[in-house]
Amino acid sequence: MLSKGLRDKESTRIDNCLKQLHSLVLPPLDWNLDIKEALELELKDFAMDLESLNDFTPEDLVLHLQRLHFDWNQMESFADFLIAFSEASPFSFSEKALAIYRFIQKESKVFSFGINAKIAALTDINTNTK
């Protein structure tokens, strides 16, 4: 367990990395080597890269984020990043984002209409593409 000071520093670091990831996938994203390298650099702060992110099962990704001490908002932000990244790149991480949203909804013990709407939207997308 992290002390309060370390937890605050870690939370600030995670928030800053998430902001940077979101800024890299804002439309219009021109998928090129520079973007890939920038994403790899930011993902490295979360002990992953594009290949490992792709290789994680949805459940393993949730566990990985827990090990990194992500709070509920940070997990949601990461799932939002995965959705935005999927729309702007050759990768599809919607199933992983869906697993994160479901985990938040179940484990946070607080019902969120926002999370529920994201789950419904992703469920519709996933059933329509199969």
Side-chain angles (χ1 to χ4, degrees), residues 16-63:
N16 289 336
C17 291
L18 287 168
K19 286 177 190 170
Q20 187 62 30
L21 281 172
H22 279 280
S23 74
L24 291 170
V25 295
L26 288 176
L29 174 67
D30 180 23
W31 184 251
N32 61 38
L33 191 57
D34 292 336
I35 295 292
K36 183 178 185 242
E37 288 175 3
L39 284 165
E40 293 274 359
L41 184 64
E42 290 303 318
L43 287 171
K44 191 167 92 173
D45 286 338
F46 298 141
M48 62 179 104
D49 56 20
L50 288 174
E51 184 178 341
S52 64
L53 180 59
N54 195 43
D55 290 344
F56 274 126
T57 65
E59 297 78 19
D60 287 342
L61 181 57
V62 169
L63 288 172

Side-chain angles (χ1 to χ4, degrees), residues 5-124:
L6 285 177
R7 190 171 51 242
D8 289 346
K9 276 186 175 179
E10 183 68 1
S11 183
T12 300
R13 183 190 71 77
I14 291 169
D15 287 339
N16 289 336
C17 291
L18 287 168
K19 286 177 190 170
Q20 187 62 30
L21 281 172
H22 279 280
S23 74
L24 291 170
V25 295
L26 288 176
L29 174 67
D30 180 23
W31 184 251
N32 61 38
L33 191 57
D34 292 336
I35 295 292
K36 183 178 185 242
E37 288 175 3
L39 284 165
E40 293 274 359
L41 184 64
E42 290 303 318
L43 287 171
K44 191 167 92 173
D45 286 338
F46 298 141
M48 62 179 104
D49 56 20
L50 288 174
E51 184 178 341
S52 64
L53 180 59
N54 195 43
D55 290 344
F56 274 126
T57 65
E59 297 78 19
D60 287 342
L61 181 57
V62 169
L63 288 172
H64 184 73
L65 298 177
Q66 285 181 289
R67 282 189 217 112
L68 294 172
H69 304 108
F70 275 51
D71 64 24
W72 305 125
N73 291 330
Q74 292 164 337
M75 283 188 170
E76 181 180 3
S77 180
F78 191 77
D80 293 345
F81 156 74
L82 291 176
I83 296 302
F85 183 46
S86 295
E87 293 171 358
S89 75
F91 300 97
S92 177
F93 297 118
S94 61
E95 286 185 33
K96 292 173 179 151
L98 182 59
I100 294 169
Y101 292 140
R102 285 181 172 155
F103 175 79
I104 294 167
Q105 192 74 303
K106 179 181 175 194
E107 297 298 322
S108 71
K109 309 288 191 249
V110 176
F111 183 82
S112 165
F113 286 105
I115 296 286
N116 199 48
K118 291 175 183 181
I119 290 170
L122 281 176
T123 303
D124 287 345

